[in-house]
Amino acid sequence: MSPLRRRVPTWSELRPLLRVERPTLRRTDAALARAATIEDLRRLALRRTPRAVFDYVDGAAEGEVSLSRSRQAFADVEFRPRVLRDVSRVDAGVDLLGVTSPVPIVLAPTGFTRMMHTEGEWAVARAAARAGVPYTLSTMGTVSVEDLAADVPDVQRWFQLYLWRDRDASRSLVRRASAAGYGTLVLTVDTAVAGQRLRDVRNGLTIPPALTARTLGGMALHPRWWSNLLTSEPIEFASLTTSGGTVADLVDRMFDPGVTLADLAWLREEWAGRMVVKGVQHPKDAVDLVAAGVDGLVISNHGGRQLDRAVAPLELLPEIRAAVGPDLPLLIDGGVLNGGDVVAAVARGADAVMVGRAYLYGLMAGGEAGVDRTLEILLTQVHRTLRLLGVARLAELTPEHAVRRHTTSPQMHHTTPWRNV
């Protein structure tokens, strides 16, 4: 065999290989376009947001074991695809609890959303409306139920409620949400007291962020974020008459730790629409809530932000599905950062998932366009996963498609596997 002969390539050979991006002043759009995963958006969010704000979204309670377990539960899913199936067209749409979605995703309620980006809930709702995905406004939101309904009338709206010690104030808020056209009430029941979120404690995070020596120093690193904060309307709770202090201070001051099933009956009298209870973590509670007449349940450990070392929602899902039967709308919440997670949850018995952190990473990374990119990534991943599984419709998914991989690897430690950036 003759030795390799070297030569100088011609321009006609080199030209097709050149991929030089044109310079652009729209750096955010370019960065979002390069983001291929939610993790990419997370890394971008870290660069563009003060650390205390990023940690509020990214962190969880105490040692963050619950958060780690939620992610590990999805990582332990083993897909078992079928082949030679016609997946030229894939339908991932769902119709449940009065809303439709092109994928089994509902955007979860998140508090203080304008702290992540000044457009806050407005940006999220507009992106949700474009994607056709339902959005849940939080009691702790920084946009009122009336303003969101008026400004983004075409988004499918749910409203999330914490029951306050002041029942008259709770009643007033519920009636306002009903009058503003929110079709489903999501009652969160896992906040008897505030979880200890140590990142927030160590960062000295207050709502709204205070101008301390640390935050003033951070202005040099994130001037655009601080400029937006200081030149827009003050961040305040749209549905609360009190604010200030830490998140834990606010929760312990306002939320009622004495809520029982009797209060659910009271709330049923006040709310004529559909009611979903979020924060279910035990099959017996699920059975009691079904008997009390709720229209759906969300299996959730509050994204790991309340009780640390709580069971992962995906692990609970088959047991609770067996307890409540096949017909009750059942969602899970926590740890969903990939479209494959969505498919795994549906295969194991959920009707849909709630997504919170994922879209907040997008919001911090690029505002409304970042939320658009989050949803685009998730929808693409859902469709691709279904095709590779050999599944053309969600109804074809079974537990055999997503089994739990048994592993002898050590239990994950206190830091989350995606935390170091």
Side-chain angles (χ1 to χ4, degrees), residues 48 70 149 217 222 240 254 287 358 415:
R48 299 194 169 193
S70 294
H222 303 95
L240 280 66
M254 295 201 64
V287 170
T415 55

Side-chain angles (χ1 to χ4, degrees), residues 105-124:
I105 290 174
V106 175
L107 297 191
T110 60
F112 329 123
T113 311
R114 286 192 58 233
M115 184 173 67
M116 294 61 164
H117 189 279
T118 52
E119 288 295 307
E121 289 88 352
W122 286 299
V124 179

Side-chain angles (χ1 to χ4, degrees), residues 19 21 38 64 77 158 181 239 250 252 376 407 412:
R19 295 289 189 273
E21 294 184 2
I38 302 303
E64 303 191 356
V77 168
W158 290 1
S239 301
L250 183 64
D252 292 341
E376 183 181 8
T407 176
M412 295 179 65

Side-chain angles (χ1 to χ4, degrees), residues 49-52 210-226 230:
T49 314
R51 189 63 193 236
L211 292 176
T212 64
R214 174 181 293 185
T215 55
L216 287 170
M219 286 184 179
L221 298 176
H222 303 95
R224 179 180 298 180
W225 187 92
W226 280 102
L230 297 175

Side-chain angles (χ1 to χ4, degrees), residues 226-341:
W226 280 102
S227 175
N228 285 337
L229 175 73
L230 297 175
T231 58
S232 61
E233 291 295 321
I235 297 176
E236 57 187 10
F237 300 111
S239 301
L240 280 66
T241 57
T242 181
S243 62
T246 67
V247 176
D249 291 339
L250 183 64
V251 169
D252 292 341
R253 184 167 66 244
M254 295 201 64
F255 293 6
D256 187 354
V259 175
T260 67
L261 281 172
D263 296 287
L264 188 65
W266 169 82
L267 189 58
R268 259 300 187 195
E269 296 178 356
E270 297 294 332
W271 177 264
R274 290 169 292 273
M275 185 185 299
V276 172
V277 173
K278 179 176 181 288
V280 179
Q281 299 176 69
H282 199 287
K284 290 183 179 178
D285 287 338
V287 170
D288 289 343
L289 288 164
V290 172
V294 301
D295 299 295
L297 299 174
V298 183
I299 306 170
S300 173
N301 61 18
H302 214 105
R305 298 163 71 80
Q306 283 295 105
L307 176 66
D308 201 19
R309 292 178 284 183
V311 65
L314 188 68
E315 296 287 351
L316 269 175
L317 176 56
E319 191 176 355
I320 291 183
R321 173 53 79 192
V324 301
D327 298 327
L328 185 83
L330 192 59
L331 296 84
I332 71 167
D333 167 81
V336 178
L337 293 176
N338 185 284
D341 300 338

Side-chain angles (χ1 to χ4, degrees), residues 102-253:
V103 285
I105 290 174
V106 175
L107 297 191
T110 60
F112 329 123
T113 311
R114 286 192 58 233
M115 184 173 67
M116 294 61 164
H117 189 279
T118 52
E119 288 295 307
E121 289 88 352
W122 286 299
V124 179
R126 288 191 292 260
R130 277 190 295 275
V133 174
Y135 172 55
T136 314
L137 180 65
S138 171
T139 293
M140 311 297 283
T142 44
V143 175
S144 73
V145 292
E146 294 88 357
D147 285 349
L148 189 76
D151 296 337
V152 196
D154 51 343
V155 69
Q156 301 176 88
R157 299 183 299 279
W158 290 1
F159 181 68
Q160 178 271 337
L161 177 72
Y162 294 106
L163 274 180
W164 300 336
R165 297 173 188 269
D166 184 344
R167 284 293 191 271
D168 288 338
S170 294
R171 178 186 293 111
S172 173
L173 183 55
V174 165
R175 290 178 178 176
R176 287 170 53 198
S178 178
Y182 292 74
T184 293
L185 185 70
V186 180
L187 175 66
T188 298
V189 294
D190 56 6
T191 51
V193 295
Q196 188 181 38
R197 302 170 193 175
L198 292 177
R199 292 205 220 180
D200 296 348
V201 172
R202 290 163 181 155
N203 287 326
L205 179 69
T206 61
I207 309 296
L211 292 176
T212 64
R214 174 181 293 185
T215 55
L216 287 170
M219 286 184 179
L221 298 176
H222 303 95
R224 179 180 298 180
W225 187 92
W226 280 102
S227 175
N228 285 337
L229 175 73
L230 297 175
T231 58
S232 61
E233 291 295 321
I235 297 176
E236 57 187 10
F237 300 111
S239 301
L240 280 66
T241 57
T242 181
S243 62
T246 67
V247 176
D249 291 339
L250 183 64
V251 169
D252 292 341
R253 184 167 66 244

Side-chain angles (χ1 to χ4, degrees), residues 77-82 85 87 90-94 103-104 317 321 339-353 381-403:
V77 168
E78 185 174 76
F79 284 131
R80 295 189 177 179
R82 301 297 304 274
R85 301 294 198 271
V87 289
V90 170
D91 181 6
V94 292
V103 285
L317 176 56
R321 173 53 79 192
D341 300 338
V342 179
V343 173
V346 175
R348 292 179 63 79
D351 292 289
V353 304
Q381 290 173 336
V382 167
H383 289 162
R384 181 171 56 246
T385 302
L386 289 175
R387 283 193 163 97
L388 293 175
L389 275 174
V391 173
R393 296 183 304 116
L394 286 182
E396 297 174 11
L397 284 171
T398 71
E400 293 181 354
H401 286 104
V403 300

